[in-house]
Amino acid sequence: MKKIALSDEILLNIEKPARYIGNEVNMVVKDPAKVDIRTVFCFPDVYEIGMSHLGMMILSHMFNQRDDVYCERVFSPWPDLHQIMKEQNIPLFALETQDPIRDFDWLLITIQYEMCYPNILQVLDLSQIPLKSADRTERDPIVIGGGPCTCNPEPLADFFDLFYIGEGETVYDELLDLYKKHKQSGCYQRSAFLREASHVPGIYVPSLYDVSYHEDGTVASFAPRYEDVPRTVTRQVEEDLSRAVYPDKPIVPFIKITQDRVVLEIQRGCIRGCRFCQAGMIYRPLRERDLDYLKEKAYQMLTSTGHEEISLSSLSSSDYTHLEELLIFLMEEFKTKHVNISLPSLRIDNFSLDVMSKVQDIKKSSLTFAPEAGSQRLRDVINKGLTEEDILHGAGLAFDGGWQKVKLYFMLGQPTETEEDMCAIGELAEKIAERYYEIPKEKRNGKCQINVSTSFFVPKPFTPFQWSPICTKEDFLHRAHIVNTSIKSQLNRKSIRYNWHEADVTIIEGILARGDRRLSDALIRVYEKGGIFAAWSEYFDDGMWQEAFAESGTDLSFYTIRERSEDEIFPWDFIDAGVTKSFLLKEWKRALAGEITPNCRQQCSGCGSAKYRGGVCYEK
């Protein structure tokens, strides 16, 4: 009988006990005694979120392909179980074997968004692993961080033994082999392994670097402590995705998760160059997966899971060269099995009504578009590459094709934004509604419904907007009020709904996104105050964060409203992410001038990512 770490009494008194028992369909089972390295992947959020994450699925599959490695999973316990584990001193455990995390060789934590940072401390604390890497001994696991937030790992530097910077398909095998060599040497030393690990491309060991600061708080220097430790860490990129590992038997959870479907990554990267978008910069160059490769993986995953929906994942799905051919294959291959196809990330200027009609021929659900700015002036500033004509034409095609629900996403607080730009959001929604009501009444499918959502702009590392200040909470809310007023003044206001993101959460995200090592004390205080699951609105407590910042002496204005000088050393400048700082600065200046930069298929802008020798940079 399978071992269960939690008693029946506990399982019967917590929400969704299936989060913690493992044993799902397609779960990998190995004998821990017959492997050399035991690893556990952690998504520091609730099970339903973590099990929807493709990156963790890919890397777990890659690790488990090795006979000498067993990779298991762990997620953040929900607050009800967290309290029980603390009260009863129950160590956090892996799903597969139910063994304590502290007994593993590696604990790998994917860091997908800033508001999960307190949950990282929760995982370490419940695992009974010292929070700070400096306090760990040879008996503790090597704690490794990965994911997009490692573009600036410095706010978390004290908590991790090392960070893997970039895409995981490239050098993890080399790192595993190195650890195996040290472990089997008979005289394993944590410090010796970390020192040698720093020589592996893409591996950053924070304890091997010193940081100093100017009197004004900016970084004065960032340098390795030893000559053999690299001064620059190069972000890793998988150049050929059609030769990369990809799961063919995804785990099927017992409970409904956020994305309860097969996920097929059709490409990685983006050609568009939106200046606010970190993913569009750090995942350069755009690399497509081969059509035959995708057909094979789609068939394998749908067959092995029994899922009735497949989602085609990428930053801009409509830019995939073979999109129509792939969709036709999926529809014809699985039409008798009633498999639904989900297509996120469509661009309104590249919208194929014929294809979408086939995909959604049963039910015309709402279509989602992201103009990001209401006015043409601001869309040029952010390099969105969309004209009002594109937007209205695309919406018109959708309405003519039978859709009457449209979701529009915008962002408030972007550089140079004026009140006219804010009002233009309501005006654009009105023009879209007017386009719907141009259709003869007898041909409409009921009333038009336009849902307008605005998030608040957060400047991110490795984007042209990394030099930009961020608005105050009051300013963000004022801007949302202007948009709300504009929408309410429109003739077709009853067809337009409006909602906006929480401003206080945005400010915290902004602080953590461009923060440095001096934030670690504040993060510990937030965790000690109970600040886990801060990404969930019902658990986020702004007062708790403000107290932690005050107690740790953190100057919030330094990380938020201050505009950065062109020559400032950023905490993340030691990372070579492909795109160069000179390119990003040039794009920042072009943004302030309202100048557009062509997309990568129109013209090479010399961003630096051609160094990876793959993808769109070499299409011609």
Side-chain angles (χ1 to χ4, degrees), residues 2-281:
K2 185 178 184 293
K3 178 179 69 175
I4 298 293
L6 301 175
S7 68
D8 290 347
E9 182 183 2
I10 292 175
L11 290 171
L12 290 170
N13 284 280
I14 58 175
E15 184 179 340
K16 297 183 181 179
R19 291 168 172 163
Y20 311 107
I21 61 175
N23 214 32
E24 307 101 321
V25 174
N26 293 336
M27 187 188 84
V28 175
V29 178
K30 293 187 180 184
D31 183 349
K34 294 182 179 180
V35 299
D36 298 308
I37 306 174
R38 295 191 67 186
T39 67
V40 56
F41 259 107
C42 170
F43 193 104
D45 208 321
V46 74
Y47 176 92
E48 294 93 311
I49 301 292
M51 281 299 295
S52 302
H53 179 54
L54 177 61
M56 184 174 178
M57 192 189 309
I58 292 174
L59 293 181
S60 296
H61 174 70
M62 183 179 79
F63 275 44
N64 279 322
Q65 283 189 317
R66 292 181 55 135
D67 293 333
D68 58 348
V69 176
Y70 189 13
C71 183
E72 304 183 41
R73 296 162 295 141
V74 66
F75 304 95
S76 286
W78 198 241
D80 56 353
L81 181 58
H82 173 94
Q83 183 178 352
I84 293 172
M85 295 180 75
K86 290 291 288 183
E87 291 173 351
Q88 300 187 22
N89 197 32
I90 300 172
L92 187 60
F93 51 90
L95 291 188
E96 278 74 1
T97 59
Q98 302 281 295
D99 288 339
I101 302 302
R102 66 188 179 201
D103 294 340
F104 285 70
D105 294 294
W106 287 7
L107 167 59
L108 303 103
I109 304 176
T110 182
I111 316 168
Q112 295 293 313
Y113 35 84
E114 291 82 7
M115 299 312 293
C116 77
Y117 289 4
N119 278 53
I120 293 172
L121 301 186
Q122 176 209 27
V123 167
L124 293 172
D125 183 34
L126 292 180
S127 300
Q128 300 174 5
I129 299 170
L131 296 185
K132 292 195 172 183
S133 61
D135 299 326
R136 294 174 196 143
T137 69
E138 266 62 28
R139 295 189 302 273
D140 294 307
I142 298 293
V143 181
I144 302 174
C149 287
T150 59
C151 282
N152 177 24
E154 289 303 276
L156 298 169
D158 288 348
F159 311 124
F160 284 86
D161 296 304
L162 64 86
F163 290 95
Y164 184 114
I165 310 294
E167 298 172 2
E169 295 97 334
T170 59
V171 298
Y172 259 129
D173 279 327
E174 184 178 347
L175 193 64
L176 284 162
D177 291 340
L178 178 64
Y179 180 80
K180 183 177 176 179
K181 182 189 78 171
H182 276 260
K183 184 181 179 183
Q184 295 180 343
S185 67
C187 54
Y188 169 73
Q189 288 184 311
R190 184 185 198 88
S191 58
F193 166 70
L194 292 175
R195 179 81 168 265
E196 193 170 351
S198 72
H199 303 163
V200 177
I203 302 303
Y204 167 51
V205 182
S207 60
L208 300 180
Y209 295 78
D210 288 321
V211 190
S212 64
Y213 302 92
H214 293 296
E215 287 188 9
D216 66 358
T218 58
V219 175
S221 67
F222 185 98
R225 293 181 177 180
Y226 309 101
E227 289 186 1
D228 64 312
V229 176
R231 184 169 292 273
T232 300
V233 178
T234 302
R235 188 176 187 277
Q236 297 301 291
V237 167
E238 177 58 53
E239 295 177 357
D240 186 355
L241 290 177
S242 296
R243 299 172 70 101
V245 65
Y246 202 85
D248 48 14
K249 293 182 177 180
I251 294 174
V252 182
F254 290 128
I255 59 176
K256 186 172 178 60
I257 61 175
T258 306
Q259 293 195 29
D260 205 4
R261 60 182 75 101
V262 162
V263 179
L264 187 66
E265 184 187 39
I266 59 176
Q267 61 186 8
R268 195 174 294 174
C270 187
I271 62 173
R272 297 294 166 176
C274 297
R275 292 170 177 143
F276 59 83
C277 181
Q278 186 184 64
M281 293 293 167

Side-chain angles (χ1 to χ4, degrees), residues 246 261-266 290-303 305 307-313 317 320 322-344 355-356 358-361:
Y246 202 85
R261 60 182 75 101
V262 162
V263 179
L264 187 66
E265 184 187 39
I266 59 176
D290 180 75
L291 178 61
D292 290 335
Y293 176 96
L294 292 174
K295 289 179 179 180
E296 179 184 3
K297 289 299 176 183
Y299 183 84
Q300 289 174 343
M301 290 191 293
L302 286 167
T303 302
T305 61
H307 280 306
E308 296 179 339
E309 183 173 352
I310 184 168
S311 174
L312 305 186
S313 172
S317 299
Y320 179 60
H322 307 292
L323 179 62
E324 187 167 358
E325 298 159 84
L326 178 60
L327 289 172
I328 291 172
F329 165 78
L330 292 172
M331 288 184 290
E332 291 180 351
E333 186 72 23
F334 299 101
K335 60 184 176 182
T336 60
K337 298 180 181 179
H338 306 290
V339 173
N340 295 320
I341 302 170
S342 172
L343 255 181
V355 169
M356 286 302 297
K358 292 176 182 176
V359 172
Q360 298 185 356
D361 59 348

Side-chain angles (χ1 to χ4, degrees), residues 148 167 235 268-269 278-287 315:
E167 298 172 2
R235 188 176 187 277
R268 195 174 294 174
Q278 186 184 64
M281 293 293 167
I282 65 172
Y283 289 110
R284 289 186 174 204
L286 174 102
R287 290 144 290 149
L315 291 175

